[in-house]
Amino acid sequence: MGKCGTALFVVSGVLLAGLGYMLYTPLPDHLGNQWQLKTMFAKIKFSFVVSELFYQLGLSGKDRTDVIRGNINYLMTSPPSQEDQAALEIYDTELNGVPVRVYKPKSATGALPGLVYYHGGGWVVLNIPAYDAPCVHIARKANIIVISVEYRLAPEHPFPAGFDDCLQVALYALKQGRDLGLDPTRVAIGGDSAGGNLAAAVSLKLRHQKIKPALKSQLLIYGIFQMCDKSLPCMKLREKYESSAAMSVFFTRAYFNLTKTQSDLLMARKYSTPELVQRCTKLVDYKLLPKELIPDGYEPEVTLASSVTDDVKYISRLMSDTRVAPLMEEDLKNLPTSLVVAAEWDQLRDESFIFAERLKHAGNKVQLQYLSDSFHGILNAFDFEKFGFDAGPKIMSSIVDFINKELK
């Protein structure tokens, strides 16, 4: 074999090995749509690998986060259907200084209910275009005005910049929403993943401030509701297949502008003061989970730091802040009617269950939608014809039905 043939053989071997890594995503046997799910995860892995390659080779002219953001945004953006778009007036504007995109049914007569939506993406990636398809579909099917928020992203704008933006848009909808054709007495907020975190946190803030009119409802879709317990049953189950610790720390470090020393504490899971451990045990109580989701012999890990340094105190303060971790709020009374969505193959699954139970115990009206045989990010793949996931139409139907029931 000549030199060219040998080189080709080696390159082919490397490419095949890389392809194998991309496609290798171990999953429980009972999960459906395995090929579609593995393909989606492979694309996400590929985006991160290509982003790192471009950054290391200096081919992008951008920093690492910008490269990752660009690739992930491209991957997760799917255009809405022409039928949905044709039924809406869609335009970009600013509300209280925050960029938004408004989706308004053309057939609207009189003031309509409204949904202020905060996109997911770990506070670091994704944007309004990545959520055009679900926002357009919700606006058309539920016949409401949807306001999608382009809140500032980390690490350029660390906490609380994104939270502040989300709060400002919610305040506009409640106080000046009539300028957009909204009925301020029928306003919901919602979001998925990091957006679910922001929605729950904004809802608490509006309640604390006693804003009137109050929010009518909230949609909390597989949200991040706590950060103090990294060993809930679903998290331990996921670790048996593949670890997501490094990615979780990547997003957390960016959102809070953490130092390397502080990030290392998160990776080692030794970041808590005794006070945080006590509060976490009380407020993020795994015993609120359905019994079938708690494995025999399960015991939570203790994240108590070996010594209470300034870095440990800082991290513990952040993880106790209800703008960061809504589950750390002691008093959950008098909150809007909630739709809480949990997905089975999601390391955030258990905190959705716990949050829903605590909201119920506080006297709130709660609808918990558990999507078994589903995964984190299913909202972006709701269109069965495009993506082929059985749970896609289910999550969209749950959202539209909830809105029709609670906002009309």
Side-chain angles (χ1 to χ4, degrees):
M1 183 182 295
K3 289 185 178 180
C4 290
T6 301
L8 180 60
F9 179 79
V10 171
V11 170
S12 299
V14 171
L15 289 175
L16 286 172
L19 180 62
Y21 163 74
M22 300 298 175
L23 292 177
Y24 180 68
T25 300
L27 298 169
D29 292 338
H30 71 275
L31 279 180
N33 303 121
Q34 294 240 346
W35 176 248
Q36 295 96 318
L37 195 52
K38 288 183 178 183
T39 301
M40 174 173 282
F41 287 158
K43 290 178 180 178
I44 294 172
K45 287 182 181 180
F46 180 76
S47 292
F48 274 94
V49 170
V50 169
S51 298
E52 187 64 20
L53 181 64
F54 270 56
Y55 172 73
Q56 293 295 342
L57 294 176
L59 299 177
S60 66
K62 301 177 181 179
D63 67 23
R64 179 183 280 108
T65 303
D66 276 339
V67 178
I68 293 173
R69 186 180 290 149
N71 284 327
I72 293 295
N73 289 359
Y74 175 78
L75 172 66
M76 299 302 291
T77 300
S78 177
S81 73
Q82 293 183 352
E83 183 181 10
D84 283 345
Q85 289 186 82
L88 304 174
E89 175 189 1
I90 303 172
Y91 62 92
D92 295 335
T93 186
E94 289 190 359
L95 303 179
N96 282 346
V98 182
V100 301
R101 181 167 294 171
V102 179
Y103 309 84
K104 182 178 181 179
K106 291 179 179 178
S107 60
T109 56
L112 290 178
L115 169 65
V116 178
Y117 197 83
Y118 310 129
H119 67 76
W123 311 284
V124 175
V125 300
L126 301 184
N127 54 14
I128 284 176
Y131 281 77
D132 266 338
C135 286
V136 163
H137 196 76
I138 292 168
R140 175 174 170 251
K141 287 294 185 180
N143 193 40
I144 64 169
I145 295 173
V146 175
I147 302 170
S148 186
V149 182
E150 197 74 278
Y151 58 88
R152 287 172 290 174
L153 298 177
E156 298 89 341
H157 305 284
F159 172 82
F163 169 82
D164 290 342
D165 289 348
C166 292
L167 177 61
Q168 286 303 312
V169 177
L171 286 169
Y172 186 98
L174 293 169
K175 295 294 186 181
Q176 299 168 258
R178 292 194 185 279
D179 295 343
L180 302 175
L182 281 176
D183 177 357
T185 67
R186 293 186 291 162
V187 172
I189 61 173
D192 63 296
S193 193
N197 165 277
L198 291 163
V202 167
S203 181
L204 286 170
K205 187 68 172 180
L206 293 173
R207 186 202 62 177
H208 291 330
Q209 294 181 339
K210 299 180 180 179
I211 299 298
K212 300 296 181 182
L215 287 173
K216 185 75 171 175
S217 58
Q218 57 182 353
L219 291 77
L220 308 177
I221 303 169
Y222 39 76
I224 304 165
F225 303 126
Q226 61 87 31
M227 295 187 177
C228 58
D229 190 339
K230 297 298 183 182
S231 66
L232 289 168
C234 61
M235 296 175 177
K236 286 196 169 187
L237 176 63
R238 285 292 298 266
E239 286 179 351
K240 291 181 180 179
Y241 292 86
E242 61 177 349
S243 174
S244 59
M247 186 175 293
S248 175
V249 171
F250 167 80
F251 287 116
T252 306
R253 179 178 185 175
Y255 190 41
F256 299 124
N257 195 26
L258 299 180
T259 66
K260 184 180 184 303
T261 299
Q262 292 163 348
S263 301
D264 289 344
L265 289 170
L266 294 183
M267 282 298 296
R269 295 184 181 175
K270 296 297 179 184
Y271 47 77
S272 299
T273 61
E275 293 79 14
L276 178 59
V277 171
Q278 185 177 21
R279 291 194 69 207
C280 190
T281 302
K282 175 185 176 183
L283 300 175
V284 188
D285 185 1
Y286 77 89
K287 298 183 187 70
L288 294 175
L289 293 170
K291 290 183 178 179
E292 61 269 21
L293 297 184
I294 305 175
D296 292 339
Y298 166 78
E299 289 291 341
E301 295 177 12
V302 178
T303 58
L304 183 65
S306 56
S307 60
V308 182
T309 63
D310 288 342
D311 287 324
V312 169
K313 291 177 182 177
Y314 179 71
I315 292 172
S316 292
R317 282 198 303 272
L318 282 174
M319 293 187 175
S320 299
D321 191 326
T322 58
R323 296 173 299 169
V324 169
L327 263 173
M328 301 308 283
E329 172 61 55
E330 299 257 1
D331 178 12
L332 293 178
K333 295 177 182 177
N334 302 315
L335 287 167
T337 300
S338 302
L339 171 65
V340 180
V341 178
E344 179 180 0
W345 195 238
D346 179 8
Q347 66 172 3
L348 303 177
R349 178 198 69 188
D350 293 347
E351 50 206 80
S352 289
F353 274 95
I354 294 169
F355 199 21
E357 286 303 306
R358 285 197 56 211
L359 286 169
K360 289 179 185 176
H361 292 174
N364 302 290
K365 186 178 177 184
V366 181
Q367 176 184 330
L368 174 64
Q369 178 70 44
Y370 179 44
L371 297 173
S372 60
D373 203 23
S374 187
F375 59 95
H376 189 91
I378 183 62
L379 180 62
N380 298 83
F382 76 90
D383 190 331
F384 181 82
E385 297 299 322
K386 286 184 181 179
F387 299 98
F389 292 110
D390 297 329
K394 293 179 184 177
I395 188 170
M396 185 55 72
S397 294
S398 296
I399 291 169
V400 172
D401 290 347
F402 177 80
I403 291 171
N404 285 334
K405 179 180 178 182
E406 301 298 334
L407 291 185
K408 298 301 176 71

